[in-house]
Amino acid sequence: MFKRRAIKKYGNKLLPKLQHRYGEQTFYNASQVRATIYQCNFNPSYLPLGYLLFLDSCDLSKVITIEFPELCIRKYKEEIKDYLNERKYYGYLKLLSI
């Protein structure tokens, strides 16, 4: 239950928080996403999900390689998508299907 709630919070509330703090942007940088997650009480266990949603692909690869070297971002994305399909929740997270 806590996993679903944490993921749902990322899908519903992270973008509005980023927009409020940094203005409306197509992509945000890693420090903006990280700061928002820690300062606005998001579950930091899903920090890679925040990066996946709001960093451009080049920055995403660099940041994941440095901060989460053991994480395969493709597998992580598939796991999140499978979990969401199972729970029938999408919200903003429908972007993961793109």
Side-chain angles (χ1 to χ4, degrees):
M1 181 159 109
F2 294 115
K3 180 177 181 176
R4 182 177 185 273
R5 188 176 301 157
I7 291 173
K8 190 173 177 181
K9 186 174 180 180
Y10 271 71
N12 291 333
K13 297 183 179 179
L14 186 54
L15 179 60
K17 290 284 187 186
L18 287 165
Q19 289 173 334
H20 177 75
R21 292 168 60 107
Y22 303 107
E24 199 167 315
Q25 300 176 28
T26 304
F27 297 106
Y28 295 88
N29 65 47
S31 62
Q32 291 170 326
V33 173
R34 188 181 322 101
T36 301
I37 287 170
Y38 281 98
Q39 293 171 6
C40 296
N41 298 318
F42 286 82
N43 184 337
S45 300
Y46 300 101
L47 179 58
L49 177 59
Y51 290 156
L52 184 62
L53 291 170
F54 300 109
L55 269 60
D56 71 33
S57 57
C58 285
D59 288 341
L60 176 65
S61 296
K62 291 175 191 172
V63 170
I64 293 297
T65 301
I66 293 168
E67 292 187 28
F68 301 96
E70 73 287 349
L71 180 69
C72 173
I73 197 65
R74 279 186 230 118
K75 285 183 183 178
Y76 183 79
K77 182 178 177 179
E78 287 302 316
E79 287 173 18
I80 295 292
K81 283 172 45 177
D82 290 345
Y83 181 79
L84 295 172
N85 285 333
E86 180 181 302
R87 299 292 182 159
K88 295 182 178 30
Y89 172 76
Y90 304 100
Y92 186 77
L93 299 174
K94 66 185 171 199
L95 291 178
L96 293 175
S97 299
I98 299 172

